[in-house]
Amino acid sequence: MPKALDEGWRVLEDFADVARTMACLKDTDEVADTLCRLTLKIIGGDHASITSVRYGKAVTVAATSAVPEQADKIQYATGQGPCLDAIRREDTFRVDDLCTDPRWPAFGPQAVAELGVRSMLAHVLPVDDEVLGALNVYAMEPRAFRAEHETMIAIFGATAVAALGAARHQEQVEHLEKALHTSRHIGVALGILMGTRGLSLDDAWGVLAKASQDRNIKVSALADRVIATGSLEHGW
């Protein structure tokens, strides 16, 4: 089999493995950590991280080691770097050598001097309307990435966006379901207090809120107790 065709099949198999792996994950943190590790398998490089920007603040949400985390922090502190430009311009940036690249005069020399990082890839991750991010790959040698790596990270980035978006949606659904469950329980507890004590809705809420404050117990936990026992007094 020709080498190019063999490499093509290998890449397709790698992406199939990624899809199968991502389908099993639901938690956003777990998805981000897994994506960082898979990035090194698919793209190459020595270190990887994911940056998230929400309401103008950039944070590293996952990293394969302390190196990319520190490199990201240098970009945040200096306000410049491939990661931030990838997010700002919604594009992919490749750095052949941070020692000689003039585009980021504050970030490049500091990253080389403190961390030994020499080359880098950064690709935008538009997770949703509120959240932009970037997938960052660092290498300790210069010219570690070529044009085909830019294509690969763009394709892999689409998988990353889908996985992160699905995880965020799942968490939002779970948070909403939990909030609705808690709200229903509190409503039932208030109804019990209104019935057993002859209270208005506002007065019942006042009793429940005061008990929560006095006993340093969450309102939801008190509501569960009221539902279980019919009273605020039992079991405390």
Side-chain angles (χ1 to χ4, degrees), residues 89-126:
R89 302 184 190 181
E90 299 191 21
D91 204 349
T92 302
F93 281 78
R94 186 179 93 222
V95 186
D96 290 331
D97 194 344
L98 284 169
C99 281
T100 57
D101 197 310
R103 289 176 289 181
W104 307 284
F107 163 69
Q110 188 176 348
V112 172
E114 296 183 8
L115 302 170
V117 174
R118 293 292 297 274
S119 51
M120 184 179 172
L121 271 178
H123 177 74
V124 66
L125 298 176

Side-chain angles (χ1 to χ4, degrees), residues 51-103:
T51 292
S52 176
V53 176
R54 191 169 191 178
Y55 305 123
K57 181 176 177 58
V59 295
T60 299
V61 296
T64 54
S65 72
V67 171
E69 203 164 1
Q70 290 302 314
D72 290 349
K73 286 182 179 179
I74 294 173
Q75 294 187 75
Y76 308 154
T78 60
Q80 61 175 244
C83 163
L84 298 180
D85 277 356
I87 294 170
R88 289 166 182 156
R89 302 184 190 181
E90 299 191 21
D91 204 349
T92 302
F93 281 78
R94 186 179 93 222
V95 186
D96 290 331
D97 194 344
L98 284 169
C99 281
T100 57
D101 197 310
R103 289 176 289 181

Side-chain angles (χ1 to χ4, degrees), residues 6-235:
D6 181 54
E7 289 181 352
W9 278 111
R10 179 185 58 78
V11 170
L12 289 174
E13 289 174 358
D14 285 343
F15 276 104
D17 287 342
V18 168
R20 285 191 290 269
T21 301
M22 290 296 100
C24 299
L25 304 178
K26 300 300 181 185
D27 177 77
T28 301
D29 291 339
E30 186 180 12
V31 168
D33 287 337
T34 302
L35 285 170
C36 282
R37 288 187 278 105
L38 290 172
T39 297
L40 299 184
K41 176 183 177 183
I42 300 293
I43 310 300
D46 299 304
H47 310 279
S49 68
I50 291 178
T51 292
S52 176
V53 176
R54 191 169 191 178
Y55 305 123
K57 181 176 177 58
V59 295
T60 299
V61 296
T64 54
S65 72
V67 171
E69 203 164 1
Q70 290 302 314
D72 290 349
K73 286 182 179 179
I74 294 173
Q75 294 187 75
Y76 308 154
T78 60
Q80 61 175 244
C83 163
L84 298 180
D85 277 356
I87 294 170
R88 289 166 182 156
R89 302 184 190 181
E90 299 191 21
D91 204 349
T92 302
F93 281 78
R94 186 179 93 222
V95 186
D96 290 331
D97 194 344
L98 284 169
C99 281
T100 57
D101 197 310
R103 289 176 289 181
W104 307 284
F107 163 69
Q110 188 176 348
V112 172
E114 296 183 8
L115 302 170
V117 174
R118 293 292 297 274
S119 51
M120 184 179 172
L121 271 178
H123 177 74
V124 66
L125 298 176
V127 179
D128 58 33
D129 292 339
E130 293 183 350
V131 180
L132 276 176
L135 179 60
N136 311 306
V137 193
Y138 297 91
M140 310 308 282
E141 63 180 39
R143 291 172 290 281
F145 308 109
R146 302 182 300 277
E148 54 262 40
H149 292 106
E150 294 183 56
T151 301
M152 290 174 65
I153 199 172
I155 297 171
F156 183 75
T159 302
V161 167
L164 289 168
R168 278 175 53 79
H169 176 72
Q170 179 65 26
E171 287 185 350
Q172 289 167 354
V173 169
E174 290 174 353
H175 290 328
L176 178 59
E177 289 178 346
K178 184 177 180 180
L180 290 172
H181 175 79
T182 299
S183 178
R184 283 195 296 267
H185 274 224
I186 291 174
V188 171
L190 290 174
I192 291 172
L193 292 176
M194 291 168 67
T196 57
R197 299 192 180 190
L199 301 174
S200 67
L201 178 59
D202 287 344
D203 288 341
W205 171 252
V207 169
L208 195 61
K210 186 175 186 305
S212 172
Q213 183 176 9
D214 291 346
R215 303 174 192 181
N216 195 26
I217 299 171
K218 290 183 177 180
V219 169
S220 57
L222 283 175
D224 288 341
R225 175 60 61 177
V226 171
I227 292 171
T229 66
S231 171
L232 271 173
E233 310 306 326
H234 298 319

